[in-house]
């Protein structure tokens, strides 16, 4: 719960600053929350930053079902 309470304001602030963020991902059929998918700006020091990453975190039961691909395409739209 503590991590979720930290995560929600972080992504809301990111949305306000950049105009995009990571959103909750749910199953269309049931509305069940399966994780988060979206776009996230990174600027830590590396040869590839600054950059925008397509980010997803899905429960392992949702792996290999195309959800990350579907969500990434929707985030890019």
């Amino acid at each position: 719960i503590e991590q979720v309470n930290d995560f929600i304001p972080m992504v809301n602030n990111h949305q306000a600053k950049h105009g995009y963020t990571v959103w909750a991902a749910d199953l269309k059929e049931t509305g069940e929350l399966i994780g988060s998918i979206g776009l996230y700006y990174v600027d830590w020091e590396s040869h590839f930053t600054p950059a925008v990453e397509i980010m997803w975190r899905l429960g392992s039961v949702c792996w290999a079902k195309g959800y990350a691909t579907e969500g990434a395409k929707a985030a890019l739209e």
Side-chain angles (χ1 to χ4, degrees):
I1 296 297
E2 184 177 327
Q3 289 176 342
V4 171
N5 288 337
D6 291 341
F7 183 73
I8 292 171
M10 179 190 73
V11 296
N12 287 343
N13 290 337
H14 188 276
Q15 173 71 39
K17 182 175 182 180
H18 299 287
Y20 55 86
T21 194
V22 178
W23 303 280
D26 58 21
L27 293 178
K28 289 179 184 179
E29 302 81 18
T30 65
E32 175 188 1
L33 179 66
I34 61 170
S36 57
I37 302 174
L39 304 175
Y40 202 78
Y41 179 80
V42 293
D43 61 357
W44 61 79
E45 191 159 330
S46 179
H47 69 282
F48 63 86
T49 58
V52 177
E53 293 186 336
I54 300 173
M55 181 178 148
W56 60 85
R57 292 183 182 172
L58 300 175
S60 59
V61 298
C62 296
W63 295 357
K65 297 185 181 198
Y67 299 142
T69 301
E70 181 180 355
K73 287 178 181 178
L76 290 172
E77 289 177 11

